[in-house]
């Protein structure tokens, strides 16, 4: 270890970043993260590792990337693939989800606009929809 470098234990990192220690150990098992050092068997993390942990969390939360996708992006361009393909795939999945959510919104707004108090039993649109579903 370098003199003057501030290292945090896994517990300190977990508390600081709001991530459980088992999650950090799992990320290590998955190859997403490595401690900067070990001292008496304890994992120690420095600024570089904290930045990587923050990046993984940002990609999970903001980018909706899975751990497999994150591993691919972290690996960069390899002989077997390119991180950009992974990001394109995630964007396609997000676009599909946005489309599904839009259709669901239109569908549910119809129910709110339906003048019937019991749309499941009284709405002719619902009846046609159920009939079409059963005929398919």
């Amino acid at each position: 270890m370098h003199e003057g470098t501030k290292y945090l234990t896994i517990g300190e990192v977990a508390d600081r970043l709001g991530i459980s220690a088992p999650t950090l150990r799992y990320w290590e098992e998955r190859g997403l993260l490595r401690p900067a050092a070990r001292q008496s068997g304890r994992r120690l993390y420095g600024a570089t590792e904290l930045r990587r942990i923050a990046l993984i969390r940002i990609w999970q939360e903001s980018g909706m990337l899975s751990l497999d996708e994150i591993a691919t992006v972290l690996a960069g361009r390899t002989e077997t693939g390119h991180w950009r393909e992974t990001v394109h795939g995630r964007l396609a999945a997000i676009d599909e989800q946005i489309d599904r959510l839009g259709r669901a919104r239109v569908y549910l707004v119809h129910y709110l606009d339906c003048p019937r108090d019991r749309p499941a039993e009284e709405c002719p649109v619902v009846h046609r929809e159920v009939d079409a579903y059963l005929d398919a």
Side-chain angles (χ1 to χ4, degrees):
M1 290 188 293
H2 301 292
E3 288 295 319
T5 301
K6 173 71 173 148
Y7 290 103
L8 300 174
T9 65
I10 194 169
E12 291 169 329
V13 170
D15 289 343
R16 178 172 173 188
L17 299 178
I19 301 169
S20 72
T23 295
L24 295 171
R25 286 194 282 289
Y26 180 68
W27 289 358
E28 184 181 342
E29 288 173 21
R30 298 279 312 260
L32 300 172
L33 178 65
R34 272 194 314 251
R38 288 184 186 259
Q39 185 176 33
S40 303
R42 294 172 52 191
R43 294 167 172 84
L44 300 175
Y45 300 90
T48 300
E49 293 74 31
L50 290 180
R51 291 185 64 78
R52 188 171 186 115
I53 293 165
L55 184 58
I56 291 168
R57 291 300 294 146
I58 289 167
W59 285 348
Q60 281 183 317
E61 293 171 9
S62 299
M64 298 177 62
L65 294 171
S66 69
L67 290 180
D68 287 339
E69 290 167 332
I70 290 170
T72 299
V73 174
L74 287 171
R77 185 178 205 137
T78 65
E79 292 178 15
T80 59
H82 196 293
W83 65 269
R84 290 180 192 277
E85 295 167 5
T86 297
V87 173
H88 281 296
R90 173 51 52 202
L91 284 171
I94 289 170
D95 287 342
E96 181 180 321
Q97 188 173 16
I98 289 169
D99 185 51
R100 287 186 64 213
L101 289 169
R103 289 191 315 268
R105 187 175 202 300
V106 167
Y107 183 80
L108 293 174
V109 165
H110 165 75
Y111 276 93
L112 290 177
D113 290 342
C114 183
R116 313 250 179 355
D117 287 331
R118 298 170 55 174
E121 296 172 14
E122 301 169 356
C123 179
V125 173
V126 171
H127 285 261
R128 285 193 302 272
E129 190 173 58
V130 170
D131 290 342
Y133 183 85
L134 291 172
D135 290 341

